[in-house]
Amino acid sequence: MRKSAITSGLVLTTGLAVVLSGCTGTGDDERTYSTEEVTDGTTDIVVVTNPGGTVLTMAKDSFGLIEETDGADTLAFKDMDGDGELDVWEDWRLSPAERAADLAPQLSADQVSGLMLFSSHERAPGDGLTDAQQEYLDASYLRNVLYAGGNELEPVVTWTNEMQAYVESLVSETTPYIPVNFSSDPRHDAADSYAGASGGVSQWPSSLGMAATFDPETVRLFGEIASEEYRAMGLANALSPQIDLATEPRWLRINGTFGEDADLASEMAAAYVAGFQGTFDDDGEDLGWGTGSVSTVIKHFPGDGVGEGGREAHTNAGKYGVLPGGNLDEHLAPFLAAIDAGGVMTSYSILVDGDGEPAYSEATGSAYDEARVGILRDDNDYDGVIITDWGVTAGGSTDPDALIGTAWGADELTVAERHFEILKAGVDQFGGNNDIAPVQEAYAMWEAAHEAGELEQSAEDRWADTGRRVLTNLFGVGLYDSAYQDLAASESVVGDEDARDAGLDAQRNSVVVLKNADGTIAEGTTAEDLKDLTVYIPRSYDTGHDGLFGPATYTEGETIDLETAEHYFGTVLTDEAELNDDDEVVSYTAPDLTGVDLVLVGMDNPNNGTNFDSAGLDQETGEFYPLSLQYREYTADGDSVRRTSISGDALEDGGTENRSYFGATSRISNEADLDAFERAVDAVEASGDDIPVVTLLSISNGAAIPAEFEADSDAILWGSGVSDAAFLDIALGLNEPAGRLPITLPKDMDSVEASLEDVADTTPYVDAEGNSYEFGFGLGADGQPIQ
């Protein structure tokens, strides 16, 4: 399944194209455009097909058409300003850069200020645009909308079309047309409920899982397919890939990375960007951007995987990134490899060196630091869009009403001053901001500073720079030409069988076999071989963590989905649970395993919380505690634990805050996963039978130390962002294993404490078979390491 190209070098959108009639002709060599109307039930859409195939779409009664003769062809162009003349920016034959350069100076300061806004998390309400959505589109001129809803097609296609029609209605002589640029965080992860549980998009491994394939072509194919599905939903911008290096194994966003190795991450990052942004012919040749492209945003520049102690910068707990190994160049490498991306997102962290001093010019988050932004703008001539991460203009201590406040190092500034400083640093857009007023204030501040001789560039010219950059992307992905989707055609794209198969293949290829004692995973197994087997799958629970979005959520269930397992086996057994009045587990009882053929135990990595949970910092006492990669209680009192943290806030007495967690104890919420494993092992022993125990280790928010379960596991499989079905296909020998570890699994917590956050130097775990669980390790079908 590939994005289709037409002869002009633009791209025929995979939505409306299939319902269009062919071009009509007035002679053997003369061709002219054709028009047709389609509807999604809410918005009536005019579709114009030009000779050669270039498709234009617009809401009915919004724009007129301009005819131009080009050789023997009569072409149509949208008259988007109503002047009856074909302007440069209206001419789809010209390059995105030419069109953007023509239109940008025509935008008002308020319109560009609106382009600097990138909305908070929005959803399709299902019954038309909300008052708040109309307000920010109209009064704030906002055009970059983050869609955070599910993958059900009808509501999102109807909503995106309706919003496009609404902004077309706002066009006037003084307000040139700007379409809506819908964006999304990743939504194809097979193990992520935000992505995989709803709608029909194809299911793929997480980025960390795709790194385990060690195959950039898999990532490029994913980009091609995922971008088609995005465009079918009306989405033209991806807030991805996350290309921070996973050198700190406790970091809570590790599954979103391409692993710990700079070379592998660089290859994967470049392939991801090429797959999403390119348009490929049937031979795989990249023809460049077009209406089938999705612009990408690489993040979080210059690398945010170095939080001290693994803590994460969404909250005060992890607002500092540290470079004790002085290894920033490796963290920069994936960004430079993928610098063709349409956008770059800055990191939250205050970045300090091994002595706790600012690694660059400012003790602030990256968005405020001109030196860090200058790595892109000055050192690498990057002229794309730079965007902040969400919430960086809200102060964690000074804006108590903000859901996320991450203005690290800039808390004492006013909201408008934060916008001003970020723009001075060279950033273009503000993530999570719907209100134009602070940007308007920043414009006045800029002009005043310019008139006072403090800034060389005028506010008008500075705003025009951002306008040109943002518009270049909008023209590049064809939003000015075709921003609408046909629902019926989109349904043929999203959930395409070939796309689903490709995603499942990638999931299987990403699963890593770490251990296979005595051939537990047999080669050449068939589905029929499994039908008479009886298996046992234990249950477990996770108490969860309090976070920004509310109190902890308690979850409980089988460690592998029973319905999935029943597709493979004749009989599936699980535990009997005693629950209290709150439906929480009091105790589990394993069944009698006499006659059972196999035990399968699913284990999630030890759960310290998410990036929204202030993990590592007790919000009531203000005390720090360690993030841990083991299930059982860990007290950080070893020789390798820092007594004094590298990072810390300046104190009023002239000292520095100590963020050390020495002597404190971890807070893992899913210790019951290890209980489930041990209960299974005990049940096997009680049966007196030799029943193999296979462990399926799923990695999301952090790595894991295998020491607590390896010795009693006959086989261990590792996966990130994969379905239970993909795990089982490898665990049962139905597909050959191909994955290799993209991160090291540590020997113990002492080795983690001894390692440096910015260097992949953790001592690997060595199992009972003598295998070292280091970067690149994985067993093949023959039980030997894959080379």
Side-chain angles (χ1 to χ4, degrees), residues 345-426:
M345 184 183 293
T346 57
S347 65
Y348 284 129
S349 298
I350 300 172
L351 195 61
V352 299
D353 62 21
D355 296 322
E357 297 298 322
Y360 287 95
S361 59
E362 301 291 341
T364 62
S366 294
Y368 293 90
D369 190 348
E370 186 175 358
R372 269 176 276 180
V373 176
I375 298 172
L376 290 168
R377 293 282 190 233
D378 302 329
D379 299 347
N380 290 282
D381 297 322
Y382 182 71
D383 196 33
V385 176
I386 301 179
I387 180 173
T388 75
D389 209 333
W390 266 232
V392 303
T393 59
S397 60
T398 56
D399 301 302
D401 295 332
L403 178 63
I404 298 176
T406 56
W408 309 135
D411 291 80
E412 301 309 314
L413 302 177
T414 68
V415 173
E417 287 170 339
R418 292 174 195 149
H419 284 76
F420 177 49
E421 292 300 321
I422 289 170
L423 289 167
K424 281 170 60 181

Side-chain angles (χ1 to χ4, degrees), residues 248-252 309-310 627-629 661 701-702 749 752-753 757:
E248 167 48 66
R250 293 167 290 186
W251 192 44
L252 299 175
L627 305 185
S628 175
L629 302 182
Y661 47 76
N701 54 346
M749 280 305 299
V752 173
E753 300 286 9
E757 284 88 342

